[in-house]
């Protein structure tokens, strides 16, 4: 199912050109136009799924396989010392394009890229509430 108003559907299908690092029947991996770091890439499924909650498990698994392959090549080719695999779901989580995608962000020593949060403290109440959900 394609969403005709979705920019990533158009990029993934090839209707809009992109800097493509990898493509197969199911996925396209492109360079992010606003990279957080050199080599910042996005794994896009060609089918439209808005987010993690919509994407089927088997497609997600194959997306992870593609991410792993491209990540290894980016790390080696760009001599990165690390890499963040990020995936945002919902506006509150920073998602701005509502077509599932994984970010591959190569990291370099002393790159000063702040992907961080202030660690809190797990309370007994939260722990018990969350454990009771499973
Ligand atoms: P997110 O905030 O997780 O939804 O990420 C969306 C990402 O898509 C951002 O990093 C944008 O820079 C990137 N982006 C948006 N439009 C394009 C485009 N046309 N080509 C490549 N990357 C894009
Ligand atoms: Zn889409």
């Amino acid at each position: 199912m394609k969403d005709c108003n979705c920019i990533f559907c158009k990029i993934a299908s090839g209707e809009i050109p992109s800097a493509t690092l990898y493509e197969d029947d199911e996925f396209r991996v492109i360079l992010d136009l606003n990279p957080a770091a050199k080599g910042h890439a996005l794994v896009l499924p060609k089918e439209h799924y808005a987010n993690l909650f919509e994407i089927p498990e088997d497609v997600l698994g194959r997306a992870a396989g593609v991410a792993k392959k491209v990540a290894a090549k980016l790390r080696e080719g760009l001599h990165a010392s690390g890499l963040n695999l990020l995936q945002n779901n919902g506006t509150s989580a920073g998602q701005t394009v509502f077509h599932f995608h994984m970010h591959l962000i190569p990291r370099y020593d002393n790159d000063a890229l702040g992907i961080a949060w202030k660690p809190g403290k797990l309370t007994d109440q939260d722990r018990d509430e969350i454990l009771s959900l499973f």
Side-chain angles (χ1 to χ4, degrees):
M1 180 187 55
K2 304 273 184 287
D3 177 338
C4 56
N5 291 316
C6 171
I7 178 117
F8 280 3
C9 279
K10 291 178 180 163
I11 291 173
S13 71
E15 183 185 336
I16 294 179
S18 62
T20 295
L21 307 182
Y22 171 91
E23 183 184 5
D24 63 22
D25 288 350
E26 213 175 6
F27 303 101
R28 182 186 293 272
V29 182
I30 65 167
L31 286 178
D32 195 301
L33 277 186
N34 310 106
K38 185 175 178 182
H40 183 168
L42 303 170
V43 179
L44 313 179
K46 292 186 175 179
E47 289 293 312
H48 181 88
Y49 310 108
N51 53 41
L52 179 68
F53 306 103
E54 284 192 2
I55 191 169
E57 270 183 37
D58 58 334
V59 182
L60 180 63
R62 290 191 290 277
V66 168
K68 181 172 166 62
K69 270 195 275 236
V70 175
K73 206 157 174 183
L74 284 170
R75 187 176 67 148
E76 192 183 333
L78 296 176
H79 310 292
S81 50
L83 184 137
N84 289 110
L85 176 60
L86 290 179
Q87 199 274 310
N88 301 325
N89 299 283
T91 307
S92 61
Q95 187 176 12
T96 58
V97 179
F98 295 90
H99 175 124
F100 178 94
H101 52 281
M102 288 171 166
H103 293 259
L104 298 174
I105 306 178
R107 300 299 301 269
Y108 305 92
D109 291 348
N110 307 313
D111 64 15
L113 177 58
I115 301 176
W117 59 86
K118 186 165 164 270
K121 179 92 183 116
L122 179 64
T123 64
D124 291 352
Q125 192 183 355
D126 282 356
R127 182 200 58 211
D128 293 346
E129 179 189 343
I130 296 159
L131 286 175
S132 75
L133 301 174
F134 291 86

PDB file of all heavy atoms in Angstrom, residues 15-42:
ATOM      1  N   GLU A  15      10.227   7.543  -7.600  1.00  0.00           N
ATOM      2  CA  GLU A  15       9.524   8.641  -8.282  1.00  0.00           C
ATOM      3  C   GLU A  15      10.251   9.972  -8.040  1.00  0.00           C
ATOM      4  O   GLU A  15      10.334  10.815  -8.926  1.00  0.00           O
ATOM      5  CB  GLU A  15       8.083   8.701  -7.746  1.00  0.00           C
ATOM      6  CG  GLU A  15       7.213   9.728  -8.413  1.00  0.00           C
ATOM      7  CD  GLU A  15       5.827   9.819  -7.755  1.00  0.00           C
ATOM      8  OE1 GLU A  15       5.388   8.832  -7.118  1.00  0.00           O
ATOM      9  OE2 GLU A  15       5.212  10.897  -7.872  1.00  0.00           O
ATOM     10  N   ILE A  16      10.761  10.145  -6.814  1.00  0.00           N
ATOM     11  CA  ILE A  16      11.625  11.297  -6.502  1.00  0.00           C
ATOM     12  C   ILE A  16      13.050  10.756  -6.370  1.00  0.00           C
ATOM     13  O   ILE A  16      13.279   9.808  -5.621  1.00  0.00           O
ATOM     14  CB  ILE A  16      11.189  11.980  -5.189  1.00  0.00           C
ATOM     15  CG1 ILE A  16       9.808  12.613  -5.374  1.00  0.00           C
ATOM     16  CG2 ILE A  16      12.208  13.028  -4.749  1.00  0.00           C
ATOM     17  CD1 ILE A  16       9.273  13.293  -4.123  1.00  0.00           C
ATOM     18  N   PRO A  17      13.990  11.356  -7.099  1.00  0.00           N
ATOM     19  CA  PRO A  17      15.366  10.850  -7.033  1.00  0.00           C
ATOM     20  C   PRO A  17      16.010  11.074  -5.659  1.00  0.00           C
ATOM     21  O   PRO A  17      15.654  12.031  -4.963  1.00  0.00           O
ATOM     22  CB  PRO A  17      16.118  11.657  -8.105  1.00  0.00           C
ATOM     23  CG  PRO A  17      15.136  12.574  -8.737  1.00  0.00           C
ATOM     24  CD  PRO A  17      13.833  12.495  -8.011  1.00  0.00           C
ATOM     25  N   SER A  18      16.903  10.195  -5.307  1.00  0.00           N
ATOM     26  CA  SER A  18      17.578  10.312  -4.008  1.00  0.00           C
ATOM     27  C   SER A  18      18.983   9.755  -4.151  1.00  0.00           C
ATOM     28  O   SER A  18      19.270   9.016  -5.086  1.00  0.00           O
ATOM     29  CB  SER A  18      16.815   9.506  -2.946  1.00  0.00           C
ATOM     30  OG  SER A  18      16.811   8.138  -3.314  1.00  0.00           O
ATOM     31  N   ALA A  19      19.848  10.096  -3.209  1.00  0.00           N
ATOM     32  CA  ALA A  19      21.188   9.511  -3.160  1.00  0.00           C
ATOM     33  C   ALA A  19      21.033   8.143  -2.508  1.00  0.00           C
ATOM     34  O   ALA A  19      20.916   8.022  -1.281  1.00  0.00           O
ATOM     35  CB  ALA A  19      22.111  10.405  -2.344  1.00  0.00           C
ATOM     36  N   THR A  20      20.984   7.114  -3.350  1.00  0.00           N
ATOM     37  CA  THR A  20      20.664   5.756  -2.888  1.00  0.00           C
ATOM     38  C   THR A  20      21.927   4.941  -2.639  1.00  0.00           C
ATOM     39  O   THR A  20      22.769   4.804  -3.538  1.00  0.00           O
ATOM     40  CB  THR A  20      19.764   5.058  -3.938  1.00  0.00           C
ATOM     41  OG1 THR A  20      18.512   5.747  -4.000  1.00  0.00           O
ATOM     42  CG2 THR A  20      19.514   3.604  -3.580  1.00  0.00           C
ATOM     43  N   LEU A  21      22.043   4.420  -1.427  1.00  0.00           N
ATOM     44  CA  LEU A  21      23.201   3.595  -1.062  1.00  0.00           C
ATOM     45  C   LEU A  21      22.933   2.118  -1.299  1.00  0.00           C
ATOM     46  O   LEU A  21      23.867   1.333  -1.465  1.00  0.00           O
ATOM     47  CB  LEU A  21      23.536   3.795   0.422  1.00  0.00           C
ATOM     48  CG  LEU A  21      23.720   5.236   0.904  1.00  0.00           C
ATOM     49  CD1 LEU A  21      24.097   5.248   2.378  1.00  0.00           C
ATOM     50  CD2 LEU A  21      24.779   5.943   0.071  1.00  0.00           C
ATOM     51  N   TYR A  22      21.651   1.747  -1.244  1.00  0.00           N
ATOM     52  CA  TYR A  22      21.281   0.334  -1.355  1.00  0.00           C
ATOM     53  C   TYR A  22      19.832   0.277  -1.803  1.00  0.00           C
ATOM     54  O   TYR A  22      19.016   1.112  -1.381  1.00  0.00           O
ATOM     55  CB  TYR A  22      21.435  -0.350   0.021  1.00  0.00           C
ATOM     56  CG  TYR A  22      20.885  -1.750   0.062  1.00  0.00           C
ATOM     57  CD1 TYR A  22      21.699  -2.843  -0.230  1.00  0.00           C
ATOM     58  CD2 TYR A  22      19.541  -1.992   0.373  1.00  0.00           C
ATOM     59  CE1 TYR A  22      21.190  -4.141  -0.222  1.00  0.00           C
ATOM     60  CE2 TYR A  22      19.028  -3.289   0.393  1.00  0.00           C
ATOM     61  CZ  TYR A  22      19.855  -4.352   0.095  1.00  0.00           C
ATOM     62  OH  TYR A  22      19.349  -5.617   0.101  1.00  0.00           O
ATOM     63  N   GLU A  23      19.523  -0.712  -2.641  1.00  0.00           N
ATOM     64  CA  GLU A  23      18.118  -0.916  -3.020  1.00  0.00           C
ATOM     65  C   GLU A  23      17.887  -2.383  -3.297  1.00  0.00           C
ATOM     66  O   GLU A  23      18.733  -3.060  -3.877  1.00  0.00           O
ATOM     67  CB  GLU A  23      17.787  -0.096  -4.278  1.00  0.00           C
ATOM     68  CG  GLU A  23      16.312  -0.219  -4.650  1.00  0.00           C
ATOM     69  CD  GLU A  23      15.939   0.489  -5.953  1.00  0.00           C
ATOM     70  OE1 GLU A  23      16.848   1.009  -6.648  1.00  0.00           O
ATOM     71  OE2 GLU A  23      14.735   0.495  -6.266  1.00  0.00           O
ATOM     72  N   ASP A  24      16.734  -2.897  -2.847  1.00  0.00           N
ATOM     73  CA  ASP A  24      16.273  -4.213  -3.289  1.00  0.00           C
ATOM     74  C   ASP A  24      14.772  -4.094  -3.522  1.00  0.00           C
ATOM     75  O   ASP A  24      14.223  -2.985  -3.563  1.00  0.00           O
ATOM     76  CB  ASP A  24      16.686  -5.316  -2.294  1.00  0.00           C
ATOM     77  CG  ASP A  24      16.073  -5.147  -0.909  1.00  0.00           C
ATOM     78  OD1 ASP A  24      15.030  -4.463  -0.770  1.00  0.00           O
ATOM     79  OD2 ASP A  24      16.637  -5.696   0.061  1.00  0.00           O
ATOM     80  N   ASP A  25      14.082  -5.217  -3.658  1.00  0.00           N
ATOM     81  CA  ASP A  25      12.636  -5.179  -3.964  1.00  0.00           C
ATOM     82  C   ASP A  25      11.834  -4.502  -2.866  1.00  0.00           C
ATOM     83  O   ASP A  25      10.764  -3.951  -3.112  1.00  0.00           O
ATOM     84  CB  ASP A  25      12.093  -6.614  -4.106  1.00  0.00           C
ATOM     85  CG  ASP A  25      12.563  -7.257  -5.383  1.00  0.00           C
ATOM     86  OD1 ASP A  25      13.137  -6.542  -6.219  1.00  0.00           O
ATOM     87  OD2 ASP A  25      12.361  -8.480  -5.528  1.00  0.00           O
ATOM     88  N   GLU A  26      12.361  -4.555  -1.647  1.00  0.00           N
ATOM     89  CA  GLU A  26      11.553  -4.159  -0.495  1.00  0.00           C
ATOM     90  C   GLU A  26      12.009  -2.868   0.177  1.00  0.00           C
ATOM     91  O   GLU A  26      11.220  -2.235   0.891  1.00  0.00           O
ATOM     92  CB  GLU A  26      11.638  -5.326   0.520  1.00  0.00           C
ATOM     93  CG  GLU A  26      10.425  -5.528   1.328  1.00  0.00           C
ATOM     94  CD  GLU A  26      10.526  -6.750   2.225  1.00  0.00           C
ATOM     95  OE1 GLU A  26      11.587  -7.403   2.329  1.00  0.00           O
ATOM     96  OE2 GLU A  26       9.494  -7.046   2.855  1.00  0.00           O
ATOM     97  N   PHE A  27      13.289  -2.507  -0.009  1.00  0.00           N
ATOM     98  CA  PHE A  27      13.853  -1.372   0.738  1.00  0.00           C
ATOM     99  C   PHE A  27      14.702  -0.490  -0.169  1.00  0.00           C
ATOM    100  O   PHE A  27      15.265  -0.957  -1.158  1.00  0.00           O
ATOM    101  CB  PHE A  27      14.755  -1.859   1.889  1.00  0.00           C
ATOM    102  CG  PHE A  27      14.053  -2.761   2.848  1.00  0.00           C
ATOM    103  CD1 PHE A  27      14.224  -4.136   2.786  1.00  0.00           C
ATOM    104  CD2 PHE A  27      13.187  -2.238   3.811  1.00  0.00           C
ATOM    105  CE1 PHE A  27      13.549  -4.977   3.661  1.00  0.00           C
ATOM    106  CE2 PHE A  27      12.512  -3.079   4.688  1.00  0.00           C
ATOM    107  CZ  PHE A  27      12.698  -4.441   4.614  1.00  0.00           C
ATOM    108  N   ARG A  28      14.813   0.777   0.253  1.00  0.00           N
ATOM    109  CA  ARG A  28      15.803   1.676  -0.339  1.00  0.00           C
ATOM    110  C   ARG A  28      16.493   2.376   0.844  1.00  0.00           C
ATOM    111  O   ARG A  28      15.823   2.792   1.798  1.00  0.00           O
ATOM    112  CB  ARG A  28      15.121   2.709  -1.243  1.00  0.00           C
ATOM    113  CG  ARG A  28      16.108   3.653  -1.948  1.00  0.00           C
ATOM    114  CD  ARG A  28      15.364   4.741  -2.709  1.00  0.00           C
ATOM    115  NE  ARG A  28      14.605   4.233  -3.841  1.00  0.00           N
ATOM    116  CZ  ARG A  28      15.070   4.071  -5.073  1.00  0.00           C
ATOM    117  NH1 ARG A  28      16.318   4.408  -5.349  1.00  0.00           N
ATOM    118  NH2 ARG A  28      14.296   3.617  -6.036  1.00  0.00           N
ATOM    119  N   VAL A  29      17.793   2.505   0.770  1.00  0.00           N
ATOM    120  CA  VAL A  29      18.542   3.227   1.796  1.00  0.00           C
ATOM    121  C   VAL A  29      19.113   4.481   1.140  1.00  0.00           C
ATOM    122  O   VAL A  29      19.796   4.384   0.108  1.00  0.00           O
ATOM    123  CB  VAL A  29      19.679   2.376   2.386  1.00  0.00           C
ATOM    124  CG1 VAL A  29      20.391   3.150   3.490  1.00  0.00           C
ATOM    125  CG2 VAL A  29      19.133   1.051   2.926  1.00  0.00           C
ATOM    126  N   ILE A  30      18.809   5.638   1.740  1.00  0.00           N
ATOM    127  CA  ILE A  30      19.197   6.921   1.132  1.00  0.00           C
ATOM    128  C   ILE A  30      20.014   7.749   2.114  1.00  0.00           C
ATOM    129  O   ILE A  30      19.969   7.521   3.330  1.00  0.00           O
ATOM    130  CB  ILE A  30      17.955   7.732   0.701  1.00  0.00           C
ATOM    131  CG1 ILE A  30      17.109   8.156   1.925  1.00  0.00           C
ATOM    132  CG2 ILE A  30      17.113   6.946  -0.291  1.00  0.00           C
ATOM    133  CD1 ILE A  30      16.049   9.205   1.624  1.00  0.00           C
ATOM    134  N   LEU A  31      20.717   8.717   1.569  1.00  0.00           N
ATOM    135  CA  LEU A  31      21.384   9.692   2.440  1.00  0.00           C
ATOM    136  C   LEU A  31      20.358  10.711   2.917  1.00  0.00           C
ATOM    137  O   LEU A  31      19.542  11.207   2.121  1.00  0.00           O
ATOM    138  CB  LEU A  31      22.511  10.398   1.691  1.00  0.00           C
ATOM    139  CG  LEU A  31      23.770   9.567   1.443  1.00  0.00           C
ATOM    140  CD1 LEU A  31      24.786  10.385   0.645  1.00  0.00           C
ATOM    141  CD2 LEU A  31      24.387   9.071   2.761  1.00  0.00           C
ATOM    142  N   ASP A  32      20.399  11.017   4.207  1.00  0.00           N
ATOM    143  CA  ASP A  32      19.543  12.059   4.777  1.00  0.00           C
ATOM    144  C   ASP A  32      19.989  13.414   4.230  1.00  0.00           C
ATOM    145  O   ASP A  32      21.191  13.695   4.155  1.00  0.00           O
ATOM    146  CB  ASP A  32      19.660  12.019   6.314  1.00  0.00           C
ATOM    147  CG  ASP A  32      18.550  12.791   6.995  1.00  0.00           C
ATOM    148  OD1 ASP A  32      18.430  14.014   6.743  1.00  0.00           O
ATOM    149  OD2 ASP A  32      17.809  12.201   7.794  1.00  0.00           O
ATOM    150  N   LEU A  33      19.019  14.230   3.839  1.00  0.00           N
ATOM    151  CA  LEU A  33      19.344  15.546   3.268  1.00  0.00           C
ATOM    152  C   LEU A  33      19.841  16.532   4.318  1.00  0.00           C
ATOM    153  O   LEU A  33      20.422  17.557   3.973  1.00  0.00           O
ATOM    154  CB  LEU A  33      18.109  16.154   2.586  1.00  0.00           C
ATOM    155  CG  LEU A  33      17.784  15.715   1.164  1.00  0.00           C
ATOM    156  CD1 LEU A  33      16.622  16.542   0.627  1.00  0.00           C
ATOM    157  CD2 LEU A  33      19.009  15.863   0.261  1.00  0.00           C
ATOM    158  N   ASN A  34      19.577  16.240   5.569  1.00  0.00           N
ATOM    159  CA  ASN A  34      20.005  17.121   6.676  1.00  0.00           C
ATOM    160  C   ASN A  34      20.772  16.279   7.680  1.00  0.00           C
ATOM    161  O   ASN A  34      20.282  16.011   8.786  1.00  0.00           O
ATOM    162  CB  ASN A  34      18.781  17.762   7.347  1.00  0.00           C
ATOM    163  CG  ASN A  34      17.840  18.395   6.341  1.00  0.00           C
ATOM    164  OD1 ASN A  34      16.764  17.871   6.056  1.00  0.00           O
ATOM    165  ND2 ASN A  34      18.259  19.483   5.770  1.00  0.00           N
ATOM    166  N   PRO A  35      21.957  15.828   7.293  1.00  0.00           N
ATOM    167  CA  PRO A  35      22.644  14.820   8.112  1.00  0.00           C
ATOM    168  C   PRO A  35      23.082  15.330   9.479  1.00  0.00           C
ATOM    169  O   PRO A  35      23.581  16.455   9.603  1.00  0.00           O
ATOM    170  CB  PRO A  35      23.854  14.440   7.256  1.00  0.00           C
ATOM    171  CG  PRO A  35      24.066  15.588   6.329  1.00  0.00           C
ATOM    172  CD  PRO A  35      22.717  16.186   6.077  1.00  0.00           C
ATOM    173  N   ALA A  36      22.894  14.492  10.475  1.00  0.00           N
ATOM    174  CA  ALA A  36      23.413  14.783  11.810  1.00  0.00           C
ATOM    175  C   ALA A  36      24.915  14.567  11.843  1.00  0.00           C
ATOM    176  O   ALA A  36      25.617  15.132  12.692  1.00  0.00           O
ATOM    177  CB  ALA A  36      22.729  13.875  12.829  1.00  0.00           C
ATOM    178  N   ALA A  37      25.410  13.732  10.940  1.00  0.00           N
ATOM    179  CA  ALA A  37      26.841  13.436  10.851  1.00  0.00           C
ATOM    180  C   ALA A  37      27.099  12.922   9.443  1.00  0.00           C
ATOM    181  O   ALA A  37      26.158  12.501   8.749  1.00  0.00           O
ATOM    182  CB  ALA A  37      27.242  12.375  11.880  1.00  0.00           C
ATOM    183  N   LYS A  38      28.367  12.927   9.041  1.00  0.00           N
ATOM    184  CA  LYS A  38      28.717  12.439   7.700  1.00  0.00           C
ATOM    185  C   LYS A  38      28.301  10.973   7.554  1.00  0.00           C
ATOM    186  O   LYS A  38      28.674  10.137   8.387  1.00  0.00           O
ATOM    187  CB  LYS A  38      30.227  12.584   7.489  1.00  0.00           C
ATOM    188  CG  LYS A  38      30.676  12.219   6.088  1.00  0.00           C
ATOM    189  CD  LYS A  38      32.160  12.502   5.920  1.00  0.00           C
ATOM    190  CE  LYS A  38      32.647  12.088   4.534  1.00  0.00           C
ATOM    191  NZ  LYS A  38      34.090  12.312   4.398  1.00  0.00           N
ATOM    192  N   GLY A  39      27.508  10.693   6.511  1.00  0.00           N
ATOM    193  CA  GLY A  39      27.079   9.323   6.265  1.00  0.00           C
ATOM    194  C   GLY A  39      25.708   8.983   6.833  1.00  0.00           C
ATOM    195  O   GLY A  39      25.247   7.848   6.693  1.00  0.00           O
ATOM    196  N   HIS A  40      25.033   9.968   7.446  1.00  0.00           N
ATOM    197  CA  HIS A  40      23.683   9.754   8.011  1.00  0.00           C
ATOM    198  C   HIS A  40      22.764   9.236   6.905  1.00  0.00           C
ATOM    199  O   HIS A  40      22.548   9.894   5.896  1.00  0.00           O
ATOM    200  CB  HIS A  40      23.177  11.082   8.579  1.00  0.00           C
ATOM    201  CG  HIS A  40      21.849  11.018   9.264  1.00  0.00           C
ATOM    202  ND1 HIS A  40      21.384  12.056  10.034  1.00  0.00           N
ATOM    203  CD2 HIS A  40      20.875  10.067   9.309  1.00  0.00           C
ATOM    204  CE1 HIS A  40      20.195  11.760  10.528  1.00  0.00           C
ATOM    205  NE2 HIS A  40      19.852  10.546  10.086  1.00  0.00           N
ATOM    206  N   ALA A  41      22.235   8.043   7.117  1.00  0.00           N
ATOM    207  CA  ALA A  41      21.413   7.385   6.096  1.00  0.00           C
ATOM    208  C   ALA A  41      20.084   6.947   6.697  1.00  0.00           C
ATOM    209  O   ALA A  41      19.942   6.835   7.927  1.00  0.00           O
ATOM    210  CB  ALA A  41      22.165   6.185   5.534  1.00  0.00           C
ATOM    211  N   LEU A  42      19.118   6.700   5.822  1.00  0.00           N
ATOM    212  CA  LEU A  42      17.777   6.295   6.244  1.00  0.00           C
ATOM    213  C   LEU A  42      17.385   5.013   5.516  1.00  0.00           C
ATOM    214  O   LEU A  42      17.499   4.949   4.276  1.00  0.00           O
ATOM    215  CB  LEU A  42      16.753   7.387   5.888  1.00  0.00           C
ATOM    216  CG  LEU A  42      17.009   8.787   6.450  1.00  0.00           C
ATOM    217  CD1 LEU A  42      16.047   9.791   5.815  1.00  0.00           C
ATOM    218  CD2 LEU A  42      16.857   8.790   7.968  1.00  0.00           C
TER     219      LEU A  42
END
